[in-house]
Amino acid sequence: MKYKFQLDKKNFETVIANSTTFHSETEIRINKQRVNILIGEYDEKEIRSIFLDNKLYQVEVEKNNEGYPTGIYIDGEYYSANLLKIDKLFYYKEKETVSKKSGTVKSFIPGNIVKIFLKEGDTVKEGNLVLVHEAMKMENEMRAPISGTIKSIGVKEGENILANQLLFEIE
Amino acid sequence: MKYKFQLDKKNFETVIANSTTFHSETEIRINKQRVNILIGEYDEKEIRSIFLDNKLYQVEVEKNNEGYPTGIYIDGEYYSANLLKIDKLFYYKEKETVSKKSGTVKSFIPGNIVKIFLKEGDTVKEGNLVLVHEAMKMENEMRAPISGTIKSIGVKEGENILANQLLFEIE
Amino acid sequence: MINKSDKNKVLIPNRGVIALDIIDSLKSIGLETILLYSPEDANSLAVKLACRSYKFLSSKLEDSYLDREMIIEKALELNVDYIHPGYGFLAEDPEFFRLCEEKNIEVIGPGSKVLSIVEDKIELRKIAEDLGIRVLKYSKVIKSHLDYEKIPESFHYPLILKPLKGQGGKRIRVVENKARGEERASKMLQREDTKRMGIFAEEFYPDSHHIEIPFIRDINGNILFLPEIESSVQRRFQKIFQESPSINISDNLRESLYEDSRKLIEEINFVGLGYTEFIVNNGASYFSEINPSYQINTLIPEIHMIANFLKKQFAISNGELLHHVKGIRILKPKYTILLVSLMAENPFDEFRPSSGIVTEFFSYSTIRNMFKTSLYTGAKVSPLYDPYIGKIATFAERRENSIKDMNNFLKNIIIKGIRTNLNFLRHVLNSNCLFSGDTTIDFLNQKCKFNERKRTEEEHQVAAALLSSIFHIDNRKKNYKEQLEKMKQPGFFKRLFKKF
Amino acid sequence: MINKSDKNKVLIPNRGVIALDIIDSLKSIGLETILLYSPEDANSLAVKLACRSYKFLSSKLEDSYLDREMIIEKALELNVDYIHPGYGFLAEDPEFFRLCEEKNIEVIGPGSKVLSIVEDKIELRKIAEDLGIRVLKYSKVIKSHLDYEKIPESFHYPLILKPLKGQGGKRIRVVENKARGEERASKMLQREDTKRMGIFAEEFYPDSHHIEIPFIRDINGNILFLPEIESSVQRRFQKIFQESPSINISDNLRESLYEDSRKLIEEINFVGLGYTEFIVNNGASYFSEINPSYQINTLIPEIHMIANFLKKQFAISNGELLHHVKGIRILKPKYTILLVSLMAENPFDEFRPSSGIVTEFFSYSTIRNMFKTSLYTGAKVSPLYDPYIGKIATFAERRENSIKDMNNFLKNIIIKGIRTNLNFLRHVLNSNCLFSGDTTIDFLNQKCKFNERKRTEEEHQVAAALLSSIFHIDNRKKNYKEQLEKMKQPGFFKRLFKKF
């Protein structure tokens, strides 16, 4: 997974292997540097501390109503944060479609349709970019979950949409 | 309610009004003296501290498997305890029978039948003592929940019984 | 069952660290400490440690900690021998002391007579002037916005506007010019209680130092002076960082501060524990006021003496004499002591007060530092009260070591669930300006601005790495849960195995 | 990203309060403290406060804190400059020191040579005897039960049987007569490691006092002696209560203890920090052994000096000289300092060690007491390790005030979730025997038996009132819940309304 974050108005890009749980020490890339991450303490609700290169940091993540991070306190020091982009948002959902093969894609949070790249009737391959949905200043690339033909597109460019609204359908 | 306790091998008798919750300051009698009790801190699981005459005590109750107290730590000091007798064990159940009028009485924990005072066919009034059931060294007086005739007695004196076994039935 | 007619009962109508210090100190000399607490404070550490505790009916200040009649009624009902008001609340209220004196309840403090002299800041300065003590230039009382004209033309702006009576910096305002001053004054006078007593103006020197002299005076007039405390570093007139001794006054000046203090407290016959306050500007001192009660910074004299200040206060209040003090004694400092105030407020959100339940709390103290706090895991920080939640002191022979130790110790404290000013304090402690001793009244406004601190590239990278890792795990967990839900739906496995 | 070639790295292969003291002390002088911790200690306060932390693969002692090779390997891998072994574990192990010295890793301590001299309790006594120092009568080494006959007939029972080497009181046994001695000796020799080194016997005087002299000696041979510590009050040879100075030795004896100590540590050229131990019986002293590392009671010299003992130890170990000490200096005590050991064990259940998660924890310290603990709400007390979880010190000019303060302070500590010896400590502190200073080695066995304490009628009534109230509420709640369940059953309300 690639994450693009803004912290104090600076951009950072992180690469974390999909299956990573950080329950054992794991290397990740951050702006091309490598660091080791390991979960420290956690409870059902949240991670309370985390090791970076064997140094333990106390963390508290601030989230908006949709559950997206807007800031982080690290050892009491606050950094405003902004999640800009995730390259594969629905890792598990994608896997799931292997068996389910559903072509229906819905919005997961309210937001705005920034750009639609394809139109009804177009042929798509699994993984092709169909449209970009912006929510909480984060751009989500919505890709085709299966190969096929676009049956319908439920939104327009610039449209403000609600959660769980039909974005497009492929058969 | 009357409670009879043994603490460090000394007997104590407490009288607490049935409806008492101690969420506001309430007087109770202990060996004929009067003291004020008020719950301090508590969580879903247990009471953690309690005021007696406006002094806060930290408490931890030690219980056996059946949930009966076998000891108490008060500000870290341990007193072995033994609940000898409760005069009206099923306060709420009794109330309930006002509407339900069920005459069936079952055992609530495993134990031993010490004494049976009545026999099948006897007429009883609500509240009459039918038998005494001993469990974890505590004597429970099992009384008639309704007035009527004893239809059946399911146990014998001296019998070891399980939980939820039929003790007697009144109709 | 416990109805002993103990003659050593003390009632404590206060809260937080203040109540804790009193309970702890007076319990240790065998007194029965009886706390009055508001419903909001029911789970506080003070309730846990007091010998007995009685709840006020309301958490509103005027119906609890500020309710003179209710407190006195309770004192009479419980037949207490003493009331220790702590500081703040009623601790400097002459009326409260007067009412207690009427009922023959002994209140720890200098008594209603001294308190009413000390309370009126203008009258007190007049007394000082009569004794030849230089004071801060002050205006006449201002009771309506028309009175603002009474401020002499010779006064230089900026000026400070202050209520005539009453403690605490919350109602003090600095104004830059006459227009702003008139506006602010009329605003201040909209408060009924402020209007009744009036306000006054004094000159404000941003480049000056704020110096306090703690003292204890016994009934025979013997005085013990403790080393001076510099408390210039203030945020909104709340003392954030204090040090003792001050490195900003000369020995000559120090001596004159003690001499001024002596004259003044002898003149008003102050018996008990207090602090004289001075503004020091360009090497000259100006008397400002007297704090007639034990204060937030009591740990400083305690460390200088290596003794409990409150026990001493109690003894003096009971007519005992100072030990080893005949006449005047000035204690020489062996250490540089630093003290910071821990506040439940968010420095990253304009210092907004923070309240809630403390979910994690730990610290580790060593021989050269001291941490007193009402916090514990599970403690409730109430939005109703002052955000002041603790004090931290370090001491060492050399000032730079005190600073280093404080810096180090602040990192040994972890608090979660509420926001605190810990990182702000670290920022203050790390400033060059503080290290070099340039601690003037405008320190936080001009010299050490929190919002202008820099972060390193490394700090940002650490933050980014941590945040993305946490987000990754959260997201994974969320997706995993959704997956599990899907698996529970009828037909899931059928669809799965259709493939094979 | 953080791979600075910092030259100030110190590795700490220890846990609990020991690790915390080292981390805190060495962090404050700018060292990077790197902790090695076992999986069992993952959530410990030490991990939270260390600069960096590396996990051992196992929580077994021999694969973690006692694993010499693993620790040295990690030290080399992380390129550390120092290892601070703390006390216990490998802190007095000559072999560990030797291996480190081979690899040029500096270990804080007196070095492998001194440690191997100090380790052999018989050889060390021979050295002392050669210097004219009176020692406790000791037998030859016993390596098999046959050797037991080597114990001279002149030895009076009771005797103590001790392993020849190795610290800690856990393997020490007192025997009342020869039969029991032979039995116990053969039992002790069943342990492989004990058999290898052997055991020996010495006379045991139940009525004697246990006195330690803390010292620091620098590379130039200057010695700073701290006031002696009496640590007679022991339970199963674990020090429970310590005080300094001792009121049970005369000035003459005190001087001779310092003189004996001086001769001995000069003879073996001990450089660093340590303690000489003596048994004092009927006014005569008998040298017993040397503790060559920082100890559980380090707070006592720290309070006497008002300085951090570990920082001093580190400086001396780095070749620095003692400040203000030329030749021999004996620090005069200003205070009577008391120290108690907080243990996770249940005094009401034969002192069985207690483990679990701490569910509540709070305390409130004042100027005259100090509480150091690894506990916090949420901390895990592991069954794998020593139940030692903290130390509490109080100090005052007068011994009775120290005792009073300790008594008072112990009531300011609340710990739940695990059982502790707090109430046992209160019992010890309240004993007349302790108050009068009759603190001999048999104190807890003969003079202050925990099981013989009395409870007042009032205490019992309080207990009964509290217990029945809690039971009442519990029962009420249970019945209420059952009632609710009933109400949820189909037909409940129908049945209810049938009546009307």
Side-chain angles (χ1 to χ4, degrees), chain B residues 18 21 28 33 43 69 91 110 126 153:
Chain B
N18 279 356
T21 61
I28 69 166
Q33 300 228 38
D43 54 30
Y91 169 64
E126 187 185 325
I153 293 186

Side-chain angles (χ1 to χ4, degrees), chain C residues 391-439:
Chain C
K391 46 191 173 184
I392 302 154
T394 56
F395 61 98
E397 271 90 0
R398 290 163 62 186
R399 185 175 182 272
E400 58 264 41
N401 287 340
S402 285
I403 295 175
K404 212 202 267 174
D405 280 0
M406 182 66 87
N407 250 318
N408 189 56
F409 182 64
L410 291 177
K411 286 185 206 135
N412 279 358
I413 304 172
I414 298 172
I415 300 167
K416 289 191 193 168
I418 55 161
R419 309 299 346 152
T420 71
N421 69 339
L422 266 177
N423 283 50
F424 168 66
L425 294 173
R426 282 179 205 154
H427 166 70
V428 171
L429 261 295
N430 269 313
S431 91
N432 289 331
C433 212
L434 184 124
F435 193 80
S436 66
D438 187 10
T439 47

Side-chain angles (χ1 to χ4, degrees), chain C residues 2 17 20-21 24 27-28 48 306 335 362 364-366 368 372-373 376-377 395 404 408 412 458, chain D residues 2 17 21 24 27-28 48 306 335 362 364-366 368 372-373 376-377 395 404 408 412 458:
Chain C
I2 308 122
V17 180
L20 282 166
D21 275 339
D24 190 62
K27 237 166 85 176
S28 77
K48 293 185 214 302
I306 312 194
Y335 303 109
F362 18 84
Y364 195 74
S365 299
T366 48
R368 289 291 184 104
K372 293 197 169 204
T373 178
Y376 61 90
T377 305
F395 61 98
K404 212 202 267 174
N408 189 56
N412 279 358
E458 189 182 312
Chain D
I2 309 122
V17 181
D21 274 338
D24 189 62
K27 237 166 87 177
S28 77
K48 293 184 213 301
I306 312 192
Y335 303 109
F362 20 82
Y364 195 74
S365 299
T366 47
R368 289 289 184 105
K372 294 196 168 204
T373 177
Y376 62 90
T377 304
F395 61 98
K404 212 202 271 174
N408 189 56
N412 279 356
E458 187 183 315

